[in-house]
Amino acid sequence: MAAGISERISAFVEALPLKPGLRVLEIGCGPGVAARAVACRIGHGFILAIDRSEKAIRLARAGSADEMAFGSLDFRRVAIEDFALRSGDALFDIAFAMRVGALDGRHPEAGRAALARIKAALRPHGRLFIDGGDPLKEIDLFRGLPS
């Protein structure tokens, strides 16, 4: 386990189907611990980590200077239910979230908006993983979600 990473986060990241070159979206990144671990596993890929908290994004950026300088990681302050790709952004292969209220059932209305935003940001048949499994579970966004 890498220094500064909890067993729970490490197990979650290890369970993600990551490989070099993937584009990954982390939802609710907090101080960026999981994002940095993912950046190490995707090599020349890219991870965009988002969080609604200005403080979380400030801490994440402060702890991620090397990965950001390499171009494998960036952060954006935005709630998932308001997230949209910017002009020129490529779609993501994988999205993941740990302990995000909009995705764990605590906020159903925000959850519906969040799932639609995530689906719009993923490549066709892109994959979404959330906590609540052992250690994660997959949500199939391309079956049964209204367009």
Side-chain angles (χ1 to χ4, degrees):
M1 178 173 16
I5 187 168
S6 73
E7 187 174 315
R8 177 184 64 83
I9 293 173
S10 180
F12 188 99
V13 170
E14 287 299 316
L16 289 168
L18 300 173
K19 61 184 180 185
L22 288 179
R23 285 185 52 82
V24 178
L25 173 65
E26 181 184 7
I27 302 148
C29 66
V33 174
R36 287 188 292 276
V38 168
C40 288
R41 293 203 37 219
I42 59 173
H44 60 276
F46 177 75
I47 177 167
L48 175 64
I50 67 171
D51 200 290
R52 68 177 64 240
S53 165
E54 184 176 331
K55 180 180 180 183
I57 294 298
R58 189 172 50 251
L59 290 170
R61 286 182 177 141
S64 306
D66 291 343
E67 295 86 354
M68 291 175 69
F70 183 68
S72 63
L73 174 59
D74 200 7
F75 296 94
R76 195 175 298 169
R77 183 181 172 260
V78 63
I80 187 55
E81 56 270 25
D82 299 322
F83 178 75
L85 294 173
R86 293 179 177 165
S87 178
D89 282 351
L91 295 171
F92 293 94
D93 301 293
I94 291 174
F96 74 93
M98 289 180 280
R99 296 188 177 170
V100 174
L103 297 173
D104 67 9
R106 287 182 280 166
H107 306 287
E109 188 171 316
R112 285 186 291 278
L115 291 173
R117 296 292 183 140
I118 296 165
K119 183 178 179 182
L122 288 173
R123 296 182 193 279
H125 307 292
R127 301 174 76 186
L128 170 61
F129 297 92
I130 64 170
D131 52 346
D134 187 20
L136 51 79
K137 67 180 178 179
E138 185 169 0
I139 296 175
D140 186 349
L141 292 177
F142 296 94
R143 184 175 26 170
L145 183 68
S147 298

